[in-house]
Amino acid sequence: MELHDVWFVLIAVLWTGYFFLEGFDFGVGVLTKLLARNRAEKRVLINTIGPVWDGNEVWLLTAGGATFAAFPEWYATLFSGFYLPLLVILVCLIVRGVAFEYRVKRPEDRWQRNWETAIFWTSLIPAFLWGVAFGNIVHGVKIDRDLEYVGSVLDLLNPYALLGGLVTLTLFTFHGTVFTALKTVGEIRERVRTLALRVGLVTAVLALVFLLWTQVDNGDAKSLVALVVAVAALGAALMANRAGREGWSFALSGVTIVAAVAMLFLTLFPNVMPSTLDPGWSLTVTNASSSPYTLKIMTWLAVIATPVVLLYQGWTYWVFRKRIGTQHLAEAAH
């Protein structure tokens, strides 16, 4: 396997890790409107992801940096062609981070309510737009002979990409519901398990249609295996949630995300951005990659740094592993 193939796999792993981790905290952000009935319950939901949300976003920074270094042509075409949706995502992530930190800086009800509304929208919008972006990457966009995107923003809003956005939104929300069930106690835990069943059923229908569409367009035997794993894991996650096995349900919803993202990258390879104007103008792992020397240096850095990052983030989740509920807020205030 050539180094550019290795880095395609590594970037796929980084995006998979980002969607697995950021997926559930996007989902929890959406639940602040769908589930929480009062200010105390919103605080509980936000506190479940409070210690980890910023660490989850490190995966996005790493994925973007790795793409820039390993595949500069891919990075340039992607960020110039998808400039507006990616800018919206960036603004949402900035506002979301500020909202987490500033929400409790003042005691006024209106102040806190506005920041909580910001958390909801800045979780929902990126969850949807990431699906739109990756739907276009997999389906193909208008790339000319100079390897530049020549379409418009409206071209990105095609049926396949919009369906992809609905899939990521519902899947991340489901992932957030089972995470909330795993991290809370009391009434919130019981209500979120019921909500998880409803959201999961909608997710299953949308995901099945989207993945079958992907398989018919560009799939092979490997992507078909990933499709089957994704669908089976989602069904098993729903059954585990109904049985009250929150740990298994969360793990299986994570498997669903991993298998679905793996399927997208399997159907994409060896392209990194297919051209709908002419297949010969597509960006591939070969014509979009950096020099072998650059990739070699990056590989050594990844070998050294990755285990350290994984150990530290794993330790963070272990420290903040306990369940919380509204009664813990009262105890903390006392």
Side-chain angles (χ1 to χ4, degrees), residues 12 15 22 65 82 98 107 116-117 131 154 160 167-168 191 201 222 227 230 254 257 271 290-291 306 328:
W15 281 110
E22 189 86 305
F82 293 20
V98 172
E116 288 163 358
T117 300
L154 294 179
Y160 177 83
V167 170
T168 52
R191 292 207 322 271
L201 291 174
K222 294 179 181 178
L227 186 156
I257 293 175
N271 295 320
S290 294
S291 67
T306 302
H328 297 108

Side-chain angles (χ1 to χ4, degrees), residues 18 22 26 53 57 60-61 79 82-100 115 117-127 129-130:
Y18 173 66
E22 189 86 305
F26 280 151
W53 68 268
E57 290 188 356
L60 173 61
L61 299 176
F79 278 78
F82 293 20
Y83 181 81
L84 183 57
L86 293 179
L87 177 62
V88 172
I89 291 174
L90 177 60
V91 171
C92 284
L93 295 180
I94 293 172
V95 173
R96 188 166 177 265
V98 172
F100 282 129
W115 284 120
T117 300
I119 290 173
F120 168 75
W121 285 110
T122 56
S123 299
L124 184 148
I125 292 172
L129 288 180
W130 278 127

Side-chain angles (χ1 to χ4, degrees), residues 7-305:
W7 273 96
F8 179 87
V9 173
L10 291 177
I11 288 173
V13 170
L14 290 171
W15 281 110
T16 302
Y18 173 66
F19 288 144
F20 179 95
L21 296 171
E22 189 86 305
F24 70 73
D25 65 45
F26 280 151
V28 172
V30 173
L31 292 180
T32 57
K33 286 287 188 183
L34 296 185
L35 180 70
R37 293 177 176 175
N38 51 50
R39 174 62 44 74
E41 291 188 352
K42 288 183 179 180
R43 287 181 61 192
V44 169
L45 292 175
I46 294 171
N47 286 349
T48 63
I49 59 174
V52 298
W53 68 268
D54 48 355
N56 294 343
E57 290 188 356
V58 170
W59 288 75
L60 173 61
L61 299 176
T62 308
T67 303
F68 172 76
F71 298 99
E73 287 285 354
W74 184 11
Y75 183 93
T77 304
L78 175 65
F79 278 78
S80 60
F82 293 20
Y83 181 81
L84 183 57
L86 293 179
L87 177 62
V88 172
I89 291 174
L90 177 60
V91 171
C92 284
L93 295 180
I94 293 172
V95 173
R96 188 166 177 265
V98 172
F100 282 129
E101 299 297 331
Y102 275 53
R103 179 180 57 88
V104 294
K105 296 299 183 182
R106 288 169 57 178
E108 292 88 347
D109 182 75
R110 183 178 179 182
W111 171 272
Q112 296 189 6
R113 186 173 62 251
N114 287 340
W115 284 120
E116 288 163 358
T117 300
I119 290 173
F120 168 75
W121 285 110
T122 56
S123 299
L124 184 148
I125 292 172
F128 175 75
L129 288 180
W130 278 127
V132 174
F134 271 83
N136 279 289
I137 291 173
V138 173
H139 194 59
V141 292
K142 294 179 179 179
I143 298 176
D144 64 11
R145 65 172 68 249
D146 296 322
L147 306 182
E148 296 179 357
Y149 178 72
V150 293
S152 66
V153 173
L154 294 179
D155 291 325
L156 302 179
L157 303 179
N158 56 78
Y160 177 83
L162 292 174
L163 178 58
L166 291 176
V167 170
T168 52
L169 174 58
T170 54
L171 182 55
F172 291 169
T173 303
F174 174 71
H175 199 39
T177 60
V178 294
F179 177 79
T180 301
L182 179 65
K183 288 287 293 178
T184 57
V185 295
E187 186 184 354
I188 295 178
R189 178 187 177 192
E190 297 303 319
R191 292 207 322 271
V192 79
R193 285 174 54 193
T194 302
L195 180 61
L197 178 60
R198 299 171 184 171
V199 175
L201 291 174
V202 175
T203 303
V205 174
L206 294 174
L208 182 60
V209 174
F210 179 73
L211 295 179
L212 285 175
W213 190 345
T214 305
Q215 179 66 25
V216 170
D217 273 359
N218 303 301
D220 56 15
K222 294 179 181 178
S223 61
L224 180 60
V225 171
L227 186 156
V228 172
V229 171
V231 173
L234 182 55
L238 285 169
M239 291 188 290
N241 172 74
R242 187 170 184 179
R245 304 295 297 273
E246 291 98 344
W248 279 104
S249 184
F250 177 71
L252 288 165
S253 69
V255 171
T256 303
I257 293 175
V258 171
V261 177
M263 180 187 177
L264 295 182
F265 277 94
L266 285 170
T267 57
L268 186 61
F269 186 80
N271 295 320
V272 293
M273 285 189 75
S275 172
T276 56
L277 300 179
D278 186 331
W281 297 343
S282 298
L283 288 168
T284 68
V285 293
T286 303
N287 65 17
S289 69
S290 294
S291 67
Y293 181 71
T294 300
L295 296 178
K296 185 177 180 180
I297 294 175
M298 290 176 60
T299 302
W300 280 110
L301 290 175
V303 168
I304 296 170

